[in-house]
Amino acid sequence: MTILDSSKGYQKYFEEITKIPHGSDEEKQISDFLVKVANDNNLKVVQDKVNNVIIYKDASKGYENHEPVALQAHIDMVNEKNSDSNHDFSKDPLDIYIEDGFLKARGTTLGADDGAGVAYILSVLTDSNLKHPPLIGIFTVNEEATMLGAFEIDTELIKAKRLINIDGEEEDSSMTGSAGGMDIFISEPITRDTNKTNGYKLVIRGLQGGHSGAEIHKERGNSNKILARLLHALSKEGTIQLATFNGGLKINAIPREAEATFTYSNVDKCQELVNKITEEIKKELEFTDAGLTITLENIELENTIDSKTSNDIITFLYLVPSGLRHKSDHLQGLTTASENLGIVDLTDTTFEFGLSVRGALDSYVQDLADEIITLGQCFGYKPKTDNWYPAWDYMEHSPMRDTMAKIYKEVHNGKELQLYAVHGGLECGIFKGKCPDLDIVAIGPNIYDVHTPDEKLDLASFDRTYTFLCKYLENL
């Protein structure tokens, strides 16, 4: 039984994609699927060593002398799920369903970021009835984690000076620039006492979370920061020894859930203090995270770490900045710098920490990173940076953008296309760095709550945006 309309190529391909595991670092199956689609349709295809795939399609009749156009999307998705979900992203198909005109997945992310773009490109490449220039479909790996695919792509295989990135999330808008960024990690050894003792479990649930590039300006609650705040407040009235602290699954997703287990010396005031801080936090987040729940329960612990190490971890997490840092005075609504405390994991032997920084300028990225590194060093930690990617700067003169705006207005009965820069990181900056004369535009259908289990794809927008894409290619 199919959920989507298989008579529409892009809907058929999207549903097929949801059946294939394709989280970051696990793209081999979907990469092989793309190769099979190309072979089945007699299209030239190249699969490189990191599983990027490039598919070529000749120009339609009458377009043989037009300049080639590259269509680009990433094939990995963010694997996020609710705590009560038993979904195994390594093998289970997504459980998709339609509700009120939106496509969703039960308990997990949907992967419309960027399955929608992948499905569009496959549909264009396999439809013999479309009119278009020579096409190059570029499918990259690991965009959501390291952007490895874009960095590794061989530009000798891409003989085009025009590129359409299909990783947008707003139908009526086109992105004209994006932030750069990098990730910061800490991994510090810890030791534990093994004596059993009574303690507490403090749990954060019900936050909205979201994409740290797209939603950070909305100032939604960060479960790791909330948990650190509660523990910090407790530490001022008594002694804490942590057993666990776990929150967040992806460094670029605002964490929705977190929990800690610990002992506390001031047993008479523990629940009272938690109730007081909970009331304050829920009031602060009543308009952004009305579903927030904070619970405290008594449990038995097998072991803990010492109070000094515990206090250092709590204080560091309490002090580390996370959220909106700078916004533009030139472009209304544009976040220009931010941090996201995405992952905390107190394992049996280590304290693990992962934070992403983004900035419209390289100087923002470097300064925010140095701030985190310096703070970590104050606690004796040795932060490391990784996964740097460049910003995509606004291009003053863009024939691709001008044509796109013109066609959008024709297709949408005079409505103007909105042009804006985004705070999220896109592969466009990497492609532009490799090919400085590349003219790039970015589009996509309406997708909401990406990087969360609430992710949903507007199916009417999915249809309209594909119609627009085909009309756009016809005019290039």
Side-chain angles (χ1 to χ4, degrees), residues 48-63:
D48 70 16
K49 64 182 181 180
V50 299
N51 290 315
N52 289 322
V53 174
I54 303 175
I55 302 175
Y56 303 85
K57 184 183 182 186
D58 292 338
S60 55
K61 187 177 180 180
Y63 286 75

Side-chain angles (χ1 to χ4, degrees), residues 12 21 40 59 65 76 89 115 126 142 156 185 187 219 223 258 327 363 383 430:
K12 177 189 72 173
D40 288 348
N65 295 324
D76 62 318
F89 282 105
T126 57
N142 218 267
E156 291 298 314
F185 299 97
S187 180
E219 301 195 58
S223 59
K327 62 181 181 178
S363 59
I430 299 170

